[in-house]
Amino acid sequence: MSYLAELKEKLENMFSPEKSYFPKEDTLSITLSNGNVRGALAYLRDTEGFRHFVMLSCVDWLEDNKFELVYIVWNPEKKVTVFVKTLIDREKAEFQSLHHMWRQVCTYEREIWEMYGINFVGHPRLEPFILEDWKGMPPMRRDFDTLHYVNEHYEWREGREESYKPRDYIGEVFDEWRKK
Amino acid sequence: MSKVVKIFHGPQHPGITGNMSVELDLIGETIVKAKTHVGYLHRAFEKLIERRTAMQAFTIVCRICVPEPDPNEENFARAIEELTGLEVPERAKWIRVLVLELSRLAAYHLWMGGQAGSTGLYTVPQWAVGYRDYILDLFEELTGGRVYHMYIIPGGVRRDLPTGFLDKVSEVMDFIESKLPEFDRLFFDNAVFKKRAIGTAVIDPETAIERGVVGPPLRACGIASDVRRDAPYEVYDKLDFDVITETGGDVYARALVRRREMEQSIKIIRQIIKYIPDGPYRTKIPYPMNWKLKAGETYVKTESARGEFGYYMVTDGSEYIRRMNVRGPAYVHGVSLLEDMLEGAQLADVAMIMNSLGTCPPEIER
């Protein structure tokens, strides 16, 4: 049995994940309950040697009214990746901050707080990161209305209405220019 | 009594790093506290990609990192291929590695310019950026674009190598290799650079792993970690190259790692010229405007000139990508690590440290 299959069994016995499968041969993906994430990550880091924290990502599942947090860790010795995932409620978007486990998690959490509006409890520095003076809905949420935002903040440029037919548009201008 | 002065370093970029600002608290010339401010180059690529089909998104991913766009294209293409189960022809894989290594060489030349320029050695940028243009000429002939190539598409590459292209690559490699000793004399053995770089911004191996440092800064601590070796993609498992390490962990060790990796890139490119197989260069993909991507998730990574460059991609069965998240090396190096590295450093070294860590704001904020 390969290392990853063994690891899957161990994690299943310890943390009883909702779902675990292999997206590709050197990767394991497990979905845990909120309370088990920290324990699973600590186990992976300290016992199994997943010392390299790759990234923290967030996926908005608007249909299910959930946010999915994805912690990706990598084992430099065994050369395998594990996705530790957890679903949190979209209405009450809140999760514990794990910045003390890896320092760079701080930056990822700060971005997700800004872009998705997930509050990370215990985070030392939840302050604007990329956006400036942003008010209203966090922009990476899927129900953020981009067209409305553009109409509110920018002006449509004259002549761009027809831009879905660029060849015709260029043709007219070209004819006018030729007449001069 | 010491007086604290607050200044903003940037957002005009010092050398080649890109526009970001560092808020510095200084006592004399020594930094006591540094705080990064990013967001000047935010273009919301991750949001744009959610509303685009795979082929529409492919044209914008290369813009995520300006000095080195090809790892983005390769990551994106490979993620789509893994999710949809597309098989890439063998020749396309070799061409991809050729493009990736050429872009690594170009990126190292640009880095050399930035690193030397931020140390006050202004001849090196003139040379380095000039020689980089020979590589850009190759890209222009191959792809039509000098900086952004949009060449590595899902399913292969956009077009085959032009006739006689490999001979030109070979000539350019000979030329670039012949110039490397001159850079040694001018820059890497330069007393001024050595005096300023040795012992500056040291990262020890434990911290490096704990902080998620990747690429040349990690290898400069003596840890032989390279995605090309650890998780070989495309045809890197068939190529012979060394993973370069140094032990200093300082700015100078990082510079030497990059300098020696340029030789490795040339070595890889020569192998490709010699062994590239014939065959088709792309596979047929479904009609791109109505290409339903199979639901799934994947994480793909490439070794860029600055380190592990990864994409986490989720699809949900529609023709749009549900979520694509970029893990750039600069995201880790350029924000929290840079803030810590700058504490206790000299004001004059800020740009040098930023360059040495491979800070690239367009990929921090996408």
Side-chain angles (χ1 to χ4, degrees):
Chain A
M1 197 153 72
S2 74
Y3 169 73
L4 211 53
E6 272 173 36
L7 182 69
K8 180 172 179 249
E9 215 161 75
K10 269 189 223 165
L11 289 170
E12 274 169 0
N13 292 336
M14 287 168 78
F15 301 106
S16 51
E18 291 158 27
K19 191 182 164 195
S20 63
Y21 75 109
F22 302 110
K24 53 183 179 179
E25 59 184 279
D26 61 349
T27 306
L28 170 67
S29 167
I30 52 169
T31 308
L32 300 170
S33 64
N34 291 354
N36 277 333
V37 171
R38 189 174 160 181
L41 284 171
Y43 170 75
L44 286 169
R45 183 187 68 171
D46 299 334
T47 314
E48 296 290 341
F50 284 80
R51 287 179 301 162
H52 178 59
F53 182 82
V54 178
M55 73 189 298
L56 166 61
S57 185
C58 178
V59 188
D60 185 353
W61 297 102
L62 184 60
E63 303 88 333
D64 309 334
N65 211 17
K66 297 276 186 199
F67 282 127
E68 186 178 48
L69 290 175
V70 188
Y71 295 82
I72 304 179
V73 287
W74 192 65
N75 186 331
E77 276 87 44
K78 308 277 185 194
K79 311 209 188 304
V80 289
T81 310
V82 175
F83 303 163
V84 178
K85 305 197 287 185
T86 190
L87 290 161
I88 56 174
D89 198 16
R90 222 168 161 280
E91 304 302 322
K92 198 177 153 292
E94 204 172 82
F95 199 66
Q96 54 185 322
S97 171
L98 298 178
H99 68 275
H100 51 275
M101 295 186 71
W102 287 280
R103 291 276 294 281
Q104 67 271 31
V105 177
C106 207
T107 321
Y108 289 104
E109 285 179 348
R110 199 171 146 203
E111 186 187 338
I112 290 171
W113 168 79
E114 183 174 53
M115 291 294 180
Y116 287 91
I118 297 175
N119 183 26
F120 286 95
V121 180
H123 191 286
R125 194 178 163 190
L126 285 182
E127 55 185 64
F129 180 46
I130 291 167
L131 308 172
E132 198 178 7
D133 298 334
W134 187 269
K135 291 181 191 73
M137 184 187 283
M140 281 296 283
R141 290 193 177 207
R142 278 185 90 81
D143 45 358
F144 176 76
D145 191 342
T146 39
L147 186 63
H148 177 72
Y149 179 79
V150 169
N151 282 329
E152 218 170 49
H153 288 81
Y154 301 100
E155 283 175 11
W156 290 96
R157 243 193 285 170
E158 199 74 21
R160 284 297 181 100
E161 304 85 358
E162 293 287 318
S163 62
Y164 60 90
K165 288 190 286 186
R167 192 168 294 157
D168 298 354
Y169 172 61
I170 293 166
E172 282 169 28
V173 173
F174 188 69
D175 292 343
E176 279 167 27
W177 177 74
R178 284 286 293 275
K179 276 177 210 156
K180 279 176 192 170
Chain B
M1 210 178 90
S2 53
K3 185 177 161 195
V4 178
V5 179
K6 193 185 270 298
I7 66 159
F8 273 83
H9 189 280
Q12 291 86 354
H13 58 83
I16 312 287
T17 57
N19 302 81
M20 76 182 268
S21 139
V22 190
E23 186 185 338
L24 303 170
D25 288 1
L26 297 161
I27 292 181
E29 284 205 21
T30 312
I31 298 159
V32 287
K33 190 166 176 275
K35 202 172 160 188
T36 52
H37 293 275
V38 297
Y40 299 95
L41 297 165
H42 177 58
R43 291 152 294 169
F45 283 134
E46 289 178 358
K47 187 75 184 172
L48 291 173
I49 282 164
E50 284 181 6
R51 309 282 167 93
R52 274 162 176 74
T53 62
M55 285 318 246
Q56 287 172 328
F58 142 76
T59 58
I60 55 175
V61 287
C62 55
R63 288 161 170 81
I64 289 170
C65 181
V66 187
E68 206 193 4
D70 297 287
N72 287 291
E73 295 177 14
E74 205 269 345
N75 264 337
F76 180 80
R78 199 146 44 88
I80 295 284
E81 282 151 12
E82 274 178 15
L83 288 167
T84 55
L86 274 182
E87 283 291 325
V88 187
E90 190 65 16
R91 184 176 171 84
K93 290 183 182 175
W94 285 79
I95 298 177
R96 282 179 181 187
V97 175
L98 175 71
V99 170
L100 286 174
E101 289 304 321
L102 282 173
S103 101
R104 186 189 316 280
L105 264 183
Y108 278 157
H109 273 85
L110 201 59
W111 160 80
M112 213 152 46
Q115 186 77 80
S118 61
T119 330
L121 305 165
Y122 291 116
T123 314
V124 185
Q126 310 290 342
W127 286 9
V129 174
Y131 300 154
R132 171 175 172 263
D133 258 43
Y134 289 108
I135 302 172
L136 299 190
D137 286 346
L138 291 176
F139 277 131
E140 190 175 14
E141 182 174 349
L142 180 65
T143 68
R146 293 174 74 80
V147 176
Y148 299 127
H149 311 132
M150 288 171 265
Y151 180 65
I152 302 173
I153 62 165
V157 293
R158 195 151 48 80
R159 50 179 282 206
D160 206 352
L161 299 178
T163 329
F165 182 73
L166 289 176
D167 298 336
K168 283 182 192 158
V169 175
S170 187
E171 274 168 32
V172 172
M173 287 307 112
D174 291 346
F175 176 76
I176 282 176
E177 195 179 31
S178 73
K179 294 294 175 192
L180 286 179
E182 290 188 20
F183 280 113
D184 285 347
R185 285 202 293 278
L186 183 66
F187 180 45
F188 294 96
D189 292 338
N190 188 305
V192 174
F193 179 59
K194 274 186 170 171
K195 185 120 186 161
R196 286 187 63 180
I198 293 175
T200 307
V202 182
I203 311 177
D204 61 272
E206 280 80 49
T207 318
I209 292 174
E210 186 207 329
R211 302 296 296 266
V213 174
V214 291
L218 183 59
R219 292 194 283 276
C221 313
I223 299 167
S225 157
D226 191 318
V227 181
R228 293 177 288 176
R229 183 58 55 82
D230 297 338
Y233 49 97
E234 308 297 357
V235 291
Y236 277 110
D237 47 349
K238 296 174 190 165
L239 296 165
D240 173 37
F241 64 96
D242 301 330
V243 176
I244 305 294
T245 53
E246 291 282 336
T247 47
D250 53 11
V251 173
Y252 190 65
R254 298 198 271 277
L256 283 187
V257 167
R258 290 180 173 112
R259 161 67 183 83
R260 288 170 60 201
E261 278 184 5
M262 285 163 82
E263 286 169 5
Q264 296 301 318
S265 283
I266 295 174
K267 191 173 157 190
I268 292 175
I269 290 169
R270 290 211 170 115
Q271 289 172 54
I272 295 168
I273 294 172
K274 203 168 166 193
Y275 298 117
I276 188 165
D278 284 331
Y281 58 92
R282 66 190 278 190
T283 183
K284 199 170 161 48
I285 58 167
Y287 178 56
M289 297 316 283
N290 191 20
W291 185 7
K292 297 253 189 300
L293 305 166
K294 211 166 81 187
E297 60 174 335
T298 190
Y299 176 73
V300 292
K301 55 185 176 181
T302 312
E303 183 74 21
S304 76
R306 281 162 294 107
E308 173 187 341
F309 206 108
Y311 276 21
Y312 175 67
M313 197 183 275
V314 181
T315 46
D316 54 3
S318 69
E319 54 267 70
Y320 301 106
I321 296 160
R322 181 92 198 185
R323 172 85 165 114
M324 196 196 86
N325 201 345
V326 182
R327 189 256 190 238
Y331 196 88
V332 176
H333 296 177
V335 183
S336 64
L337 184 68
L338 180 69
E339 283 174 2
D340 289 1
M341 292 270 95
L342 287 181
E343 267 173 40
Q346 297 294 303
L347 175 61
D349 290 343
V350 175
M352 190 169 82
I353 295 170
M354 281 170 81
N355 265 304
S356 156
L357 291 173
T359 312
C360 180
E363 113 200 352
I364 297 175
E365 53 222 43
R366 280 95 62 198

